[in-house]
Amino acid sequence: MGEEQFIDYVKIFGRSGNGGAGSAHLARTARNPKAGPDGGDGGHGGSVIVRGNRNLWTLLHLRYTKHIFAENGGNGQKNQCFGKNGADALVEVPLGTIIKLVETDEVIGEILEDGEELVVMKGGRGGLGNVHFKSATMQTPRFAQPGELGTEGWMSLELKVLADVGLVGFPNAGKSTLISQLSNARPKIANYPFTTLKPNLGMVAYRDYQSFVIADIPGIIEGASEGKGIGLRFLRHIERNSVLLYMVPIVSEEGLKSAEEILKEFHILQNELKQYNPELLDKSYMVAITKCDLAPQDEINAILQKLPKTFPHLSISSLTNYHLTEIKDRLWELLNKKE
């Protein structure tokens, strides 16, 4: 899937169907020209329904869908024949999609399970036919109920990627390389910023046939929470992750980083998450010190020894598989930590 094909937000105008009108028909037969009321009920209008589909990973299929209209209910007929119910308008979305009303920004609901359905706009009820209004004092009612009107309005569909572990780091921190080594994901990898322009999901195989899902979130830059770069567009996906893995390279263009520089970069990343949503800092996390194949191990160890004991970190190299088994163990422990 190309980067331009990852769509995680769409806005659609929806309209549920009107209910059909009840019939006010009066029966007339050869033997009984005043047989009385026999008007049937109107059919219910169709609803606008959102359904989860685990085979979808993006809202791309809705990119050019601007209107979703359900069918109106049919009118009631003579001989107490009911009108046809209007067909529902079904919208399939990937798991992790939040549905909101645009006008009020009210969250209608979210889709988290395959096959889960959410009625966004309920169809109007069909009107009752005149047969329902017959009584001892009113033998021939000549009226029936009109159908109830449906509802309409703009709704937004917003996808938040569902994953157990989210990778958080500046561009070119080694996130794509790590996810390609740990999982079956094959993201684009190159030595320049913003290689990743869409979240990538990978399934990480663990011991005893267990597994967890890891997400490569596109690179954040300082100021992303204020709309700079492309980070703001993808910060919402981090909200769904149970554990965050911050990734900080041991090297920069100037050479090896100091312990102070590593801590500073980590705090900048945390600050961007805090500015976007303070609750993100409540998630379990650890820090991967990446690209440890680019410097002698003794020099790296000397730097890492200066980091605080309370700083949960692990040095890794995705190219040489250094500590990759250990990082899977640490992530698994965090995912299954007893609160």
Side-chain angles (χ1 to χ4, degrees):
M1 181 187 300
E3 288 83 355
E4 72 280 356
Q5 293 182 308
F6 182 82
I7 305 297
D8 57 3
Y9 180 89
V10 295
K11 192 166 66 171
I12 298 174
F13 185 82
R15 180 191 298 155
S16 61
N18 298 328
S23 171
H25 189 268
L26 298 175
R28 292 177 175 83
T29 66
R31 294 185 179 182
N32 187 357
K34 295 184 179 180
D38 69 342
D41 299 344
H44 294 301
S47 299
V48 177
I49 300 175
V50 176
R51 177 192 291 168
N53 185 335
R54 65 183 178 186
N55 295 318
L56 295 175
W57 296 95
T58 172
L59 296 171
L60 173 66
H61 61 295
L62 299 174
R63 183 176 188 177
Y64 299 111
T65 301
K66 297 303 179 185
H67 301 93
I68 295 287
F69 295 154
E71 196 174 65
N72 293 331
N75 294 333
Q77 305 294 325
K78 62 183 180 180
N79 297 327
Q80 297 189 42
C81 291
F82 293 166
K84 177 185 175 183
N85 290 331
D88 295 328
L90 191 63
V91 183
E92 293 199 327
V93 299
L95 308 188
T97 299
I98 293 178
I99 301 93
K100 295 181 181 180
L101 292 177
V102 173
E103 187 174 348
T104 62
D105 205 36
E106 174 191 356
V107 176
I108 304 172
E110 52 189 317
I111 301 295
L112 300 174
E113 302 288 340
D114 183 49
E116 179 182 356
E117 292 187 351
L118 178 66
V119 178
V120 179
M121 297 175 184
K122 189 173 179 58
R125 291 177 296 180
L128 297 177
N130 62 352
V131 69
H132 293 278
F133 302 104
K134 181 180 179 180
S135 67
T137 58
M138 186 181 294
Q139 295 292 317
T140 56
R142 300 175 183 274
F143 60 87
Q145 280 185 334
E148 186 178 68
L149 295 176
T151 57
E152 65 180 27
W154 286 95
M155 60 179 175
S156 66
L157 306 178
E158 180 181 295
L159 173 62
K160 294 184 179 181
V161 167
L162 288 170
D164 298 307
V165 179
L167 306 183
V168 181
F170 288 141
N172 205 23
K175 300 185 299 300
S176 297
T177 306
L178 178 64
I179 196 174
S180 68
Q181 291 294 92
L182 292 183
S183 74
N184 56 355
R186 292 294 174 265
K188 180 180 178 182
I189 301 172
N191 189 29
Y192 55 85
F194 298 127
T195 303
T196 302
L197 299 177
K198 64 184 179 68
N200 291 297
L201 291 180
M203 184 70 71
V204 179
Y206 194 62
R207 296 184 174 93
D208 301 323
Y209 302 103
Q210 296 171 312
S211 61
F212 58 91
V213 179
I214 192 168
D216 170 16
I217 308 298
I220 297 172
I221 65 170
E222 189 170 7
S225 58
E226 300 171 359
K228 296 180 180 178
I230 63 171
L232 180 61
R233 177 182 170 192
F234 298 109
L235 279 169
R236 73 169 71 101
H237 298 296
I238 301 174
E239 294 180 294
R240 292 291 191 190
N241 306 145
S242 300
V243 171
L244 300 181
L245 178 61
Y246 294 89
M247 300 188 64
V248 180
I250 190 70
V251 294
S252 65
E253 293 181 357
E254 290 75 28
L256 277 175
K257 294 178 182 176
S258 65
E260 291 76 16
E261 289 174 319
I262 292 172
L263 288 173
K264 179 182 178 181
E265 187 166 322
F266 166 70
H267 289 309
I268 291 173
L269 290 169
Q270 277 208 316
N271 185 61
E272 292 304 322
L273 300 192
K274 180 181 178 181
Q275 295 301 317
Y276 178 75
N277 182 353
E279 294 181 2
L280 294 178
L281 298 191
D282 296 331
K283 293 180 180 290
S284 299
Y285 74 91
M286 67 170 295
V287 181
I289 310 298
T290 66
K291 303 188 178 183
C292 289
D293 55 290
L294 298 180
Q297 193 60 51
D298 57 342
E299 295 182 23
I300 293 175
N301 291 338
I303 295 170
L304 299 184
Q305 286 175 2
K306 297 179 182 178
L307 293 172
K309 300 297 183 184
T310 56
F311 186 63
H313 67 277
L314 185 66
S315 57
I316 68 169
S317 169
S318 299
L319 292 180
T320 63
N321 290 322
Y322 177 63
H323 278 171
L324 293 196
T325 299
E326 289 80 358
I327 204 167
K328 286 198 290 185
D329 290 337
R330 295 276 290 273
L331 292 173
W332 184 260
E333 290 173 6
L334 289 175
L335 286 170
N336 294 276
K337 182 176 65 175
K338 304 296 183 183
E339 297 295 337

